[in-house]
Amino acid sequence: VDVRDRTVRFHTARGEAVAVNHVSFDVRSGEVLGLIGESGCGKSVTLRALMKLLPPARTTITGGVQVDGRDVLAMNERELGDYRGGTTAMIFQDPALALDPVYTIGQQIGEAVQRHTGCSKAQARDRAQALLEQVKVPSARSRLDNYPHEMSGGMRQRAMIALALSCNPKLVLADEPTTALDATVQIQVLLIIRELQQRLGMSAVFVTHDLGVAAEICDRIAVMYAGRIVETGTVGDVLQRPQHPYTQALLASTIHGSMRGTRIDGIPGAPPDLTRLPAGCAFRERCSKAMAQCASEVPPHMPVHDGGQAACWLLANP
Ligand code: SF4
């Protein structure tokens, strides 16, 4: 995946909202990139733009997106049909909404397999069963005839992962795929995704606001704030040696076991209105280290740790 200078603007009743603002990143073959940040920072829009899933009448997209050497923005409807579910598959947050309630799990996976491989119905059903077994659904043969409402949340999410994998995608886009699950099921599903991603050698972009989930599954992390990427690096560097004040504040406000009895430092204030972005650094109003320069100019990306980058004037003027 090669995303260059991507900007996504939504035309809203209140004006133009810049949901993704000059974002660039790449994802190498077999790598998992985590997009993290608060709600509304542009993570999910960035992901949907990779699938060209945004409403064209109300959206302006600029910049380049190449996946597996192909320009996604230039694809016509037929090419997009092959790309979605073929080269690239998506796992959504809520399988209850993503799966079709009036078709069985077997019909939904089987249809995707037939659509992309042209195999027979019987072969597609066998492949659907094998996929359910891969994602550790017990009694996979009989589960093929279940409707989504006949399965638990965890089983539905596994079925959706099976659906996403049905055509051997090279890239999986996961939008908070475990947020709707309880904690024990969440870790089971995460381990399944990680194991399949490694075994099948797929690349993945994983959106989450949960730093624990990011630590579990990602190789590299891109931290987003107000539509921009403010820090990137390996998961170890970003989570253990954060360089950007926003990443530092995000980590300081995250709960973990060793913090029992201590007070959590929340981040004061709220992210800016995307229809009225301030000049300079968008984090300025909430940043305890802000300087005069932060109000006038957007900070450039500066190299930090091993191959990472962070966009903060403190790094440009050490
Ligand atoms: Fe804070 Fe300035 Fe760095 Fe923005 S550029 S994070 S306001 S110090």
Side-chain angles (χ1 to χ4, degrees):
V1 179
D2 184 15
V3 175
R4 288 292 142 235
D5 204 23
R6 163 138 292 200
T7 295
V8 179
R9 290 186 169 82
F10 290 126
H11 314 298
T12 73
R14 293 195 305 114
E16 202 165 71
V18 188
V20 175
N21 204 340
H22 298 287
V23 159
S24 298
F25 62 88
D26 55 28
V27 187
R28 298 158 207 156
S29 183
E31 181 182 58
V32 180
L33 175 75
L35 291 180
I36 65 171
E38 289 165 282
S39 297
C41 69
K43 311 181 296 289
S44 295
V45 176
T46 300
L47 204 68
R48 278 155 200 265
L50 283 173
M51 274 290 219
K52 214 175 167 188
L53 278 177
L54 300 168
R58 286 183 286 127
T59 315
T60 303
I61 303 176
T62 55
V65 181
Q66 299 260 335
V67 176
D68 198 26
R70 297 170 67 202
D71 182 349
V72 176
L73 286 185
M75 287 181 189
N76 60 33
E77 281 306 310
R78 189 188 55 75
E79 289 168 329
L80 275 174
D82 293 335
Y83 168 74
R84 294 174 181 150
T87 309
T88 305
M90 191 142 179
I91 304 173
F92 294 92
Q93 183 178 36
D94 189 347
L97 296 175
L99 292 169
D100 194 323
V102 300
Y103 291 99
T104 66
I105 295 300
Q107 286 170 326
Q108 294 185 56
I109 301 175
E111 186 192 328
V113 172
Q114 278 191 289
R115 159 84 173 75
H116 288 279
T117 67
C119 68
S120 71
K121 207 168 176 178
Q123 287 169 324
R125 189 172 165 85
D126 288 343
R127 169 94 176 119
Q129 181 185 336
L131 284 161
L132 288 185
E133 286 165 355
Q134 261 191 345
V135 295
K136 300 184 172 56
V137 170
S139 312
R141 191 83 197 165
S142 59
R143 286 292 191 177
L144 289 174
D145 298 318
N146 280 171
Y147 289 90
H149 74 271
E150 295 176 310
M151 301 176 107
S152 66
M155 285 300 145
R156 274 199 297 261
Q157 191 57 289
R158 289 174 197 220
M160 196 161 66
I161 296 168
L163 180 60
L165 299 180
S166 59
C167 303
N168 300 320
K170 293 182 176 172
L171 172 68
V172 171
L173 306 175
D175 190 3
E176 308 242 16
T178 57
T179 304
L181 305 174
D182 64 48
T184 48
V185 179
Q186 186 176 62
I187 194 70
Q188 289 167 4
V189 171
L190 276 180
L191 292 175
I192 287 171
I193 294 175
R194 184 64 170 167
E195 190 229 306
L196 288 170
Q197 179 270 328
Q198 288 178 338
R199 185 150 54 83
L200 303 176
M202 297 178 298
S203 308
V205 183
F206 203 98
V207 162
T208 182
H209 63 267
D210 186 328
L211 298 178
V213 168
E216 191 65 50
I217 200 144
C218 299
D219 300 307
R220 279 193 305 136
I221 285 180
V223 183
M224 292 192 73
Y225 186 77
R228 289 185 185 272
I229 290 180
V230 296
E231 181 160 4
T232 56
T234 63
V235 68
D237 282 337
V238 173
L239 298 186
Q240 286 162 24
R241 291 173 288 282
Q243 301 294 310
H244 193 281
Y246 176 62
T247 316
Q248 292 164 355
L250 207 55
L251 283 160
S253 61
T254 300
I255 303 170
H256 46 86
S258 62
M259 293 171 71
R260 184 174 290 274
T262 59
R263 195 179 170 81
I264 296 165
D265 293 323
I267 307 175
D273 181 344
L274 296 177
T275 61
R276 291 179 187 77
L277 282 172
C281 175
F283 189 54
R284 191 181 77 242
E285 297 285 322
R286 307 170 79 188
C287 180
S288 60
K289 298 170 182 165
M291 310 168 284
Q293 190 177 17
C294 308
S296 55
E297 293 173 79
V298 175
H301 283 96
M302 302 295 296
V304 291
H305 28 71
D306 186 16
Q309 292 190 328
C312 174
W313 284 118
L314 289 173
L315 300 163
N317 314 307

